[in-house]
Amino acid sequence: MKVPLHIAVTGAAGQISYSLLFRLAAGHSFGKDQPIVLHLLEVPSAMPALEGVVMELNDCASPIVRSIIMTDDPFVAFKNIDHAFLIGARPRTLGMARKDLLKVNAEIFSTQGKALNAVANRNVKVLVTGNPANTNALIALKNAPDLSPANFSSMSRLDHNRAISQLAEKCGVLTTDIKNMTVWGNHSGTQYPDIHYATVRGQDALSLVDDNWFVNNFIPTVQERGEAVIKARGQSSAGSAANAALDQMRAWALGTPDNDWVSMGVLSDGSYDIEKGLMYSFPVTVEDGEIQIVQGLNINEFSRHRMRVTEDELKQERDAVKHLF
Ligand code: NAD
Ligand code: LMR
């Protein structure tokens, strides 16, 4: 019998969590035979709604959910946890950039970083989804000096999945036929979804699509997909965001396949000449819970420019919240 994993989910009564929790209870991220204890964090005003969510979770009679803790105190929520999905934060509305959310969301992540530092398991894996995800993850990490920076990652998987889906549709193949997709940089309009290393059924992706589609269709479609969803739904993505968070945590917990990589926001170690100390999305592999940035990729002039633009935006975001470090 496996020892239960303790999993924190913040913003547990929000729309992403409503898509995420039931799949978590079905074993998506950690396996169908892995018992879990859920630690659900919300703000005080959302506790009645959270009680309803917990009633529904109980009504699933999940064979793997051992117990559920509900709280509005991050020091209770993060006590001895192994994994954290930091989702709770305000979403943007039409016309806003994600970085406009820094003013309202940044402090959530300094408080939660301190709580993680104080009470979480030292091997905790913290995935930040609340926007702007890269810089919020950096704030949390900076407020948790006793935890390794390797314990923190920001969510790039939604962009990665969007990029795979666009390329698969263009080439008329299954998403599983696409390997080695890469998203560089920020989860924002400057991100650089890159198909230079991607393959489609083993063939170079760039030999199958024309440059004009790559530059003028694929890149902007992936960059602006979040806004397109908000325009269409009146609310930001939730089902796909929950799916991406579950996918990213699964890759972190269980590893990546031998013949592929994924994109994750991690603290830059200077790889690809990206400034150290930024939370930047790189292509990565994972083995035994350790994330490694894929090394040795050839970066051409076009890519270098795109990677710098998104790096510059992350520097600006970091400088705007330095007082919280
Ligand atoms: P939502 O408003 O439906 O839910 C957010 C929940 O967080 C609310 O229930 C709120 O009460 C709670 N909350 C607020 N402050 C909190 C705190 N300090 N502690 C605990 N809970 C808190 O929003 P949503 O649609 O679920 O989106 C959540 C966040 O995820 C937003 O910032 C959104 O922009 C972001 N998001 C990121 C991605 C990504 O790819 N990184 C994708 C989609 C959405
Ligand atoms: C997304 O990419 O769908 C999310 O970050 C939500 C948003 O604000 O675009």
Side-chain angles (χ1 to χ4, degrees), residues 49-184:
L50 182 57
E51 279 173 29
V53 173
V54 171
M55 284 183 217
E56 287 203 71
L57 278 167
N58 287 332
D59 294 348
C60 293
S62 160
I64 62 167
V65 176
R66 288 288 181 268
S67 61
I68 305 177
I69 296 161
M70 271 187 280
T71 178
D72 57 13
D73 181 348
F75 286 82
V76 174
F78 297 154
K79 180 97 178 143
N80 297 333
I81 55 163
D82 302 294
H83 298 264
F85 291 88
L86 302 192
I87 297 168
R90 196 181 303 171
R92 67 175 167 157
T93 47
L94 207 55
M96 289 174 82
R98 295 181 190 87
K99 63 185 164 198
D100 298 338
L101 290 167
L102 266 183
K103 286 183 204 78
V104 287
N105 287 340
E107 290 202 7
I108 295 173
F109 294 88
S110 65
T111 306
Q112 293 185 357
K114 290 182 180 75
L116 287 161
N117 194 54
V119 298
N121 179 331
R122 298 300 86 179
N123 293 323
V124 66
K125 291 178 171 56
V126 181
L127 169 59
V128 177
T129 297
N131 275 321
N134 299 58
T135 299
N136 287 337
L138 186 63
I139 295 168
L141 176 162
K142 291 282 187 190
N143 281 277
D146 302 331
L147 295 174
S148 163
N151 295 25
F152 292 83
S153 175
S154 64
M155 192 159 103
S156 295
R157 188 57 176 263
L158 182 51
D159 310 299
H160 183 93
N161 286 349
R162 286 168 172 165
I164 288 176
S165 163
Q166 290 299 316
L167 182 60
E169 189 184 336
K170 174 73 178 171
C171 296
V173 299
L174 300 176
T175 53
T176 47
D177 292 326
I178 312 275
K179 306 285 179 219
N180 301 338
M181 181 58 73
T182 303
V183 176
W184 302 98

Side-chain angles (χ1 to χ4, degrees), residues 169-228:
E169 189 184 336
K170 174 73 178 171
C171 296
V173 299
L174 300 176
T175 53
T176 47
D177 292 326
I178 312 275
K179 306 285 179 219
N180 301 338
M181 181 58 73
T182 303
V183 176
W184 302 98
N186 201 3
H187 173 62
S188 76
T190 66
Q191 69 178 269
Y192 172 38
D194 181 3
I195 61 171
H196 280 92
Y197 324 101
T199 58
V200 181
R201 292 187 180 151
Q203 279 184 274
D204 288 346
L206 271 174
S207 68
L208 300 173
V209 299
D210 59 83
D211 274 4
N212 182 46
W213 178 82
F214 171 49
V215 176
N216 296 316
N217 189 317
F218 171 80
I219 293 176
T221 298
V222 177
Q223 286 176 328
E224 291 155 23
R225 190 66 158 190
E227 195 174 344

Side-chain angles (χ1 to χ4, degrees), residues 4-79:
L5 288 172
H6 288 250
I7 318 293
V9 178
T10 74
Q15 55 152 3
I16 294 177
S17 293
Y18 197 70
S19 290
L20 178 135
L21 285 167
F22 299 93
R23 291 178 64 197
L24 199 55
H28 182 87
S29 289
F30 307 105
K32 290 187 190 308
D33 62 345
Q34 173 60 61
I36 56 176
V37 174
L38 292 172
H39 296 225
L40 306 183
L41 180 68
E42 257 299 348
V43 294
S45 60
M47 291 312 281
L50 182 57
E51 279 173 29
V53 173
V54 171
M55 284 183 217
E56 287 203 71
L57 278 167
N58 287 332
D59 294 348
C60 293
S62 160
I64 62 167
V65 176
R66 288 288 181 268
S67 61
I68 305 177
I69 296 161
M70 271 187 280
T71 178
D72 57 13
D73 181 348
F75 286 82
V76 174
F78 297 154
K79 180 97 178 143

